[in-house]
Amino acid sequence: MTDFTSVQNKVAIVTGASDGLGKAIAKCYAENGMKVIVSDINTEKGSKVVEEIKATGGEASFFRTDVSQEEDVKAMVDFAIETYGRLDGIVNNAGISAESRPTHEYSISEFDRLTSIDLKGVFLGMKFGIEAILKSKSSSGFVVNVASLAGILGNSSMAIYTSAKHGVVGLTKSAALDYAPYNITVNAICPGTIKTSIWGNAPEEVIQQYAKLLSPNGRLGDPKEVAHLALFLASDLARYISGSAITVDAGSSAGKLTPTQWAHPEILE
Ligand SMILES: NC(=O)c1ccc[n+]([C@@H]2O[C@H](COP(=O)([O-])OP(=O)(O)OC[C@H]3O[C@@H](n4cnc5c(N)ncnc54)[C@H](O)[C@@H]3O)[C@@H](O)[C@H]2O)c1
């Protein structure tokens, strides 16, 4: 079968689902018949996402979680079990970015804050989420960790974010080996430059400059373009894919972009 009906009725948690990529993933999962725990630190926006899902006939519940807090993450997983009786998958997506600076200018508190959300938060989601997936005896469990291109490439002025995202890819690869015999796939998605509020208040022209600089096709990605991969990884079509860090970046990590002079540009006319 080459459609996504295999995801129907699977129960999944999506962290950081009040906005951006997490919101797009939660909506995409619900549109395809999954039962979704929309989890985020922002209750107001997260509750709206649940309303939007329910308004279109989907099934979702909100649970407030700070992913850096062990008790919150444990309670989030307990909530999933109390609400839907089982857990099939978890998308560890919640994350923050840091200001761009050279490594020595970051403070220790900035390092601690970022890694407590972007790295420890993913570890906690995996620890309690995988335990619940195992106890649910899911025949097609899955973990999707949202890393970044910064999980596979170095970046100037982004040392702490890059270290956390490399850690997420390391957690992903190791856990894929731990749970392959137990029907749980573990993968990371590495988005390129996707248009979400992680860009903060950056003016549109600055964002467009980044798109031209960083994306070979000259545009930012749409959150739905990441959500479609998260759906595939949740489906039974992807059961032989585990331990992978898959890029969604229009090819920007494929190599260096160099200016090209076409001999026959008229082919485009
Ligand atoms: N947008 C991009 O270009 C891009 C590129 C690469 C990787 N990513 C990664 O994708 C993930 C999602 O980013 P986004 O662009 O959607 O960002 P976003 O800011 O639009 O959304 C992030 C969500 O996470 C929530 N959040 C923040 N701290 C939290 C915490 N401690 N506990 C629970 N929730 C928390 C926020 O409230 C928000 O709803 C992040 O892990 C980010 O590093 C994004």
Side-chain angles (χ1 to χ4, degrees):
M1 195 183 291
T2 50
D3 62 22
F4 291 106
T5 50
S6 60
V7 301
Q8 279 176 8
N9 293 316
K10 283 193 189 183
V11 178
I13 295 170
V14 183
T15 70
S18 289
D19 212 341
L21 305 185
K23 177 178 169 178
I25 293 168
K27 290 179 95 168
C28 180
Y29 277 6
E31 275 164 22
N32 284 276
M34 292 174 71
K35 297 171 182 168
V36 186
I37 288 86
V38 170
S39 163
D40 202 284
I41 202 164
N42 187 324
T43 302
E44 200 184 322
K45 282 179 149 184
S47 304
K48 277 204 188 113
V49 173
V50 168
E51 277 171 32
E52 285 172 34
I53 288 174
K54 288 193 165 165
T56 53
E59 177 54 51
S61 306
F62 179 76
F63 193 82
R64 187 199 174 275
T65 315
D66 178 343
V67 294
S68 68
Q69 302 301 311
E70 177 183 343
E71 287 312 312
D72 280 21
V73 178
K74 192 173 180 314
M76 169 185 80
V77 172
D78 289 347
F79 174 79
I81 301 297
E82 280 156 24
T83 310
Y84 296 117
R86 59 180 296 101
L87 189 68
D88 297 289
I90 182 163
V91 180
N92 294 301
N93 162 76
I96 58 169
S97 59
E99 280 178 28
S100 296
R101 3 203 136 103
T103 307
H104 71 282
E105 288 188 4
Y106 282 115
S107 67
I108 290 158
S109 62
E110 281 174 307
F111 178 86
D112 286 344
R113 177 163 185 268
L114 185 129
T115 53
S116 75
I117 296 170
D118 288 18
L119 180 57
K120 184 180 162 198
V122 172
F123 167 69
L124 291 173
M126 291 175 78
K127 176 176 170 53
F128 294 111
I130 290 172
E131 205 173 84
I133 296 167
L134 287 169
K135 284 185 184 162
S136 299
K137 305 211 180 308
S138 180
S139 57
S140 52
F142 68 92
V143 175
V144 173
N145 294 325
V146 180
S148 167
L149 290 191
I152 52 173
L153 297 170
N155 285 280
S156 55
S157 307
M158 285 174 67
I160 58 175
Y161 183 76
T162 302
S163 70
K165 293 298 187 180
H166 270 66
V168 170
V169 172
L171 283 170
T172 302
K173 291 183 175 179
S174 299
L177 297 170
D178 287 340
Y179 302 106
Y182 307 100
N183 297 320
I184 303 176
T185 60
V186 187
N187 290 291
I189 296 181
C190 299
T193 42
I194 316 292
K195 197 164 184 201
T196 68
S197 54
I198 209 165
W199 289 87
N201 298 324
E204 187 58 31
E205 63 264 28
V206 172
I207 294 176
Q208 291 310 328
Q209 273 171 6
Y210 264 95
K212 290 211 166 66
L213 191 71
L214 299 176
S215 188
N217 69 359
R219 69 168 174 85
L220 294 179
D222 185 293
K224 283 185 184 161
E225 294 177 298
V226 175
H228 293 153
L229 175 58
L231 177 66
F232 176 63
L233 292 173
S235 79
D236 290 355
L237 300 173
R239 297 309 301 165
Y240 208 65
I241 301 174
S242 198
S244 296
I246 305 172
T247 58
V248 183
D249 68 347
S252 66
S253 57
K256 276 188 184 161
L257 266 179
T258 47
T260 313
Q261 188 76 45
W262 284 34
H264 298 288
E266 67 277 6
I267 196 172
L268 299 175
E269 283 164 13

